[in-house]
Amino acid sequence: MNGAQIRENVRISLSSIAAQKLRAFLTMLIIAIGIFALVGILTSIDAMKEAINSNFASMGANTFTIRNHDSFIHVGKGGQKAKIYKNISYEDATAFVNQYSFPAVASVSTTASQIATLKYGTEKTNPNVQIDGSDENYMITSGYDIAEGRNFSKQEVTDGRKVIILGQEVVSDLFKKHEDPIGKIISVGDGGEFKVIGVFASKGNGFGFGGDRLGVIPVNVARAIPDIGDMTFRISVRVQSQNQMDGAISEATGLFRTIREVSLGKDNNFAIAKSDDFANTLIQLMSKATIGAVVIGVITLLGAVIGLMNIMLVSVTERTTEIGIRKAIGATKNFVRNQFLIEAIVISQLGGLAGIVLGILGGNLLALVFHVGFIIPWAWIFTGVTICFIVGIISGVYPAIKASKLDPIEALRHE
């Protein structure tokens, strides 16, 4: 089949589709829904993966954290008694920082509140600001940068001075007239009044991790806030390169077991997590969602195959006389077969094109939510086009063969 024949068959296919608008539209709609489900969900998943990688990359790939065990109470197995893990105390954390000899930067921090309300004059935030207490190394180990002002000094941390560094969203809530926040006195929940000495560069609020709704105060001030209860502390360690991570974690584990008085052969009563562990877990879960999206798309497209095959069979029946005329004036079996086969492919590709466009737009709505750039999933676009081509072939091959085998004399007698 040469180019001229292909163009002629495409022209005839478009004319036939225009003559059967409703049935062609419904079939293309089914195909579009299947491709939309496939491309849309997978584009959304790609956007979420990009957001996860972006959020955790900003924490630093060379960072790990020592924190409380995953649960305070671990139910024993085989009739053993349940294990109770005590909180990591400030003394535990500072002992680690003072004794850790590996070439790395370590900081101690705690969360004083996750529902704090900050006030400045007549303005105040919603009660959803996280307040962390930490030392002068907080920014190094957490991946924050200072946009305005400065970091804590070691003396401010040691003396417990009431100073605070704010996230960008908190600054926007409190200083609506673009007033310079540096040096201003604000009220922080039950902690009293604090002097603003710095503003963090924007980091976003993805996946519930601090982000821009954050205020950081010296750790000794956080310890003195009343009515917090039994505080727990975490230790963040940043090594110089990824290659040092295993050695740094090994040394940290041994030292902290000694500090926490963990006997030989006993399980750790603390947990160590790399900065990207949670990100990898989320991405693995999304891989399962990818499988689900493929299954949904395949089931929908299976319905599209059946629908398209039916419309092509009806088309063959309705156009029997037309087929007889074409054969009578010289159209070969191959020409008739190719005409109907191309028609099925054209319908499937038009439906697929609509589904791809809708899928990209729908998937990128999530990218906007997570402040990720516009994503064009080329791999899934080519996959969608290929799937639609296959759908067209499968749906059109039987009706096309049936049309090509019609006897021209019997076809001309058809009414």
Side-chain angles (χ1 to χ4, degrees):
M1 187 167 57
N2 57 38
Q5 289 177 323
I6 293 176
R7 286 192 297 272
E8 177 65 14
N9 279 325
V10 170
R11 186 189 64 78
I12 294 171
S13 298
L14 292 174
S15 299
S16 176
I17 292 169
Q20 307 173 70
K21 292 183 179 67
L22 181 59
R23 280 183 302 194
F25 172 76
L26 292 176
T27 305
M28 286 188 283
L29 182 62
I30 297 173
I31 295 172
I33 290 172
I35 296 298
F36 168 74
L38 185 66
V39 176
I41 295 174
L42 294 175
T43 301
S44 298
I45 290 172
D46 286 346
M48 292 179 69
K49 287 180 179 179
E50 183 70 23
I52 291 170
N53 288 328
S54 175
N55 272 272
F56 284 88
S58 66
M59 293 173 62
N62 305 336
T63 304
F64 66 91
T65 303
I66 303 174
R67 54 179 174 78
N68 272 358
H69 200 276
D70 290 337
S71 60
F72 295 108
I73 300 177
H74 176 72
V75 179
K77 297 180 180 180
Q80 297 178 353
K81 292 182 179 180
K83 297 178 181 179
I84 299 176
Y85 298 104
K86 64 179 181 178
N87 287 346
I88 295 176
S89 68
Y90 179 71
E91 290 71 25
D92 291 340
T94 53
F96 176 89
V97 172
N98 292 332
Q99 297 177 41
Y100 191 54
S101 60
F102 198 90
V105 177
S107 70
V108 177
S109 60
T110 186
T111 298
S113 176
Q114 291 181 318
I115 54 171
T117 300
L118 279 62
K119 299 178 182 178
Y120 174 70
T122 59
E123 303 292 346
K124 66 178 182 178
T125 67
N126 291 324
N128 60 356
V129 178
Q130 179 174 320
I131 301 297
D132 281 354
S134 190
D135 55 26
E136 68 277 9
N137 291 328
Y138 180 85
M139 289 191 301
I140 298 174
T141 58
S142 64
Y144 277 95
D145 292 316
I146 288 287
E148 300 177 54
R150 61 178 178 83
N151 188 20
F152 302 131
S153 68
K154 187 171 183 178
Q155 194 65 42
E156 286 171 330
V157 175
T158 303
D159 295 346
R161 295 179 189 172
K162 303 190 83 171
V163 292
I164 188 169
I165 305 174
L166 300 176
Q168 289 281 352
E169 193 171 340
V170 179
V171 171
S172 298
D173 288 346
L174 296 180
F175 303 95
K176 296 185 182 298
K177 297 180 180 179
H178 305 290
E179 188 176 356
D180 185 2
I182 306 302
K184 301 299 187 295
I185 304 299
I186 66 171
S187 174
V188 180
D190 297 328
E193 294 185 336
F194 286 76
K195 180 180 179 181
V196 179
I197 64 168
V199 176
F200 289 120
S202 181
K203 199 174 183 181
N205 291 306
F207 300 91
F209 292 94
D212 294 338
R213 297 200 63 78
L214 175 71
V216 181
I217 60 178
V219 65
N220 285 331
V221 178
R223 293 172 61 209
I225 296 176
D227 302 325
I228 288 185
D230 189 15
M231 299 184 76
T232 182
F233 293 80
R234 56 187 176 271
I235 306 159
S236 297
V237 180
R238 180 159 187 167
V239 296
Q240 296 174 1
S241 69
Q242 186 70 33
N243 295 332
Q244 295 177 312
M245 186 69 78
D246 291 339
I249 291 176
S250 178
E251 184 171 323
T253 302
L255 173 59
F256 210 53
R257 281 177 64 89
T258 301
I259 292 171
R260 297 272 284 180
E261 298 180 347
V262 180
S263 302
L264 188 65
K266 297 290 185 179
D267 293 335
N268 293 336
N269 56 11
F270 56 91
I272 295 183
K274 296 180 183 179
S275 60
D276 59 352
D277 282 348
F278 189 57
N280 292 334
T281 301
L282 287 175
I283 289 174
Q284 288 174 5
L285 291 174
M286 286 180 189
S287 298
K288 297 180 181 179
T290 302
I291 296 173
V294 172
V295 170
I296 292 171
V298 167
I299 292 173
T300 308
L301 289 170
L302 181 61
V305 169
I306 297 171
L308 182 55
M309 184 178 293
N310 283 333
I311 195 175
M312 293 306 300
L313 287 171
V314 172
S315 181
V316 170
T317 302
E318 290 182 344
R319 295 159 63 188
T320 300
T321 302
E322 175 192 327
I323 295 169
I325 293 172
R326 288 183 180 279
K327 283 197 167 186
I329 60 176
T332 64
K333 284 185 176 182
N334 285 341
F335 184 87
V336 173
R337 185 187 65 239
N338 292 337
Q339 176 190 331
F340 281 88
L341 191 58
I342 288 175
E343 186 173 320
I345 293 172
V346 168
I347 291 174
S348 65
Q349 290 294 338
L350 289 174
L353 179 62
I356 288 170
V357 172
L358 291 174
I360 293 173
L361 294 176
N364 275 285
L365 288 177
L366 197 63
L368 291 175
V369 172
F370 289 115
H371 305 289
V372 178
F374 194 85
I375 294 175
I376 300 179
W378 292 110
W380 298 120
I381 290 174
F382 291 130
T383 300
V385 170
T386 303
I387 290 174
C388 288
F389 182 80
I390 294 172
V391 166
I393 293 291
I394 295 173
S395 303
V397 67
Y398 174 67
I401 292 173
K402 182 180 178 180
S404 69
K405 288 183 177 180
L406 286 175
D407 183 89
I409 297 176
E410 293 298 325
L412 288 169
R413 288 176 180 173
H414 181 79
E415 293 184 359

